[in-house]
Amino acid sequence: LGGRASYWIDPTGNRSIDQVASGGAGLAWLPFDEQRSYRISDQALWLQFDASTARGARWFLVLMHPSVDMAKLYWRGADGRWVVQSAGQQLSVAEWAIPGRLPTFELAPGDGQTVRYWLRLERDRSYFTAPLSLFGQSALLEARGREQFMLGGYFGVLLFLAGASLVSALVYRGRNFAALLGYLGGIG
């Protein structure tokens, strides 16, 4: 979304979606740069962007950073009410809008009309970089499949090395193998 989104930092972190949406041009919206770090401790980073999807298409917004305390995506539904999806470390993954390793949100159902979205991000620690990506349904499934494959490979190799270290420590009574096993247990 770099270049197509605007951001505003709520210094109090307390503004509601109604206040932000009605504030419009009165708020100091700036062009969003996903490579920039934002200091939002005790504040809220609001992103605003417009998107349209083709009829029948499903599109998803993925926050490519797993460590966010709370992320909420808002848009107005056909009935004028706010549609809200949430994800982040303050919720269990089962409570996320779309459970997974990364906060993921489904955009409004496609009918070819442009919809305005607001994304509210909270993070209490250090600086925050917010890379965002839009995925079609098949691309999202493919990306998640690659992610699962890579994580499976990583933990498979880790488990193999731990097993080999355990066997070697028992057979050869080597402290180095036991130390390696302890080290591998610490990083797993």
Side-chain angles (χ1 to χ4, degrees):
L1 285 179
R4 293 188 305 232
S6 301
Y7 82 94
W8 173 70
I9 296 179
D10 176 3
T12 65
N14 295 326
R15 292 231 182 152
S16 69
I17 180 60
D18 289 318
Q19 293 170 324
V20 172
S22 66
L27 302 176
W29 293 94
L30 299 170
F32 174 65
D33 179 5
E34 61 186 21
Q35 301 301 317
R36 180 178 165 213
S37 292
Y38 298 90
R39 177 91 175 161
I40 57 173
S41 188
D42 296 324
Q43 300 173 337
L45 174 65
W46 285 89
L47 300 175
Q48 171 183 282
F49 64 95
D50 296 328
S52 62
T53 58
R55 185 174 307 281
R58 294 181 69 191
W59 282 85
F60 300 86
L61 174 69
V62 179
L63 178 60
M64 305 300 288
H65 194 296
S67 132
V68 61
D69 293 336
M70 181 60 74
K72 291 185 178 187
L73 181 69
Y74 300 89
W75 78 85
R76 288 208 186 266
D79 60 359
R81 291 189 212 162
W82 289 111
V83 176
V84 183
Q85 297 178 39
S86 302
Q89 294 179 345
Q90 292 177 357
L91 302 171
S92 69
V93 174
E95 295 176 282
W96 287 15
I98 298 174
R101 194 177 69 81
L102 299 171
T104 303
F105 308 97
E106 186 168 4
L107 299 183
D111 62 0
Q113 300 227 331
T114 300
V115 176
R116 173 149 294 172
Y117 297 92
W118 288 268
L119 180 65
R120 184 180 194 278
L121 300 169
E122 297 175 29
R123 184 156 189 245
D124 288 336
R125 300 169 304 281
S126 70
Y127 287 87
F128 179 67
T129 303
L132 300 167
S133 295
L134 290 173
F135 288 94
Q137 183 176 12
S138 60
L140 178 66
L141 292 173
E142 184 179 318
R144 284 192 167 188
R146 269 194 317 272
E147 177 183 285
Q148 294 301 317
F149 179 76
M150 295 301 291
L151 288 172
Y154 171 79
F155 286 108
V157 168
L158 186 67
L159 188 59
F160 172 77
L161 289 174
S165 297
L166 176 63
V167 169
S168 297
L170 293 174
V171 170
Y172 299 114
R173 301 189 195 288
R175 281 193 240 175
N176 291 340
F177 291 115
L180 178 60
L181 180 62
Y183 173 75
L184 291 172
I187 63 172

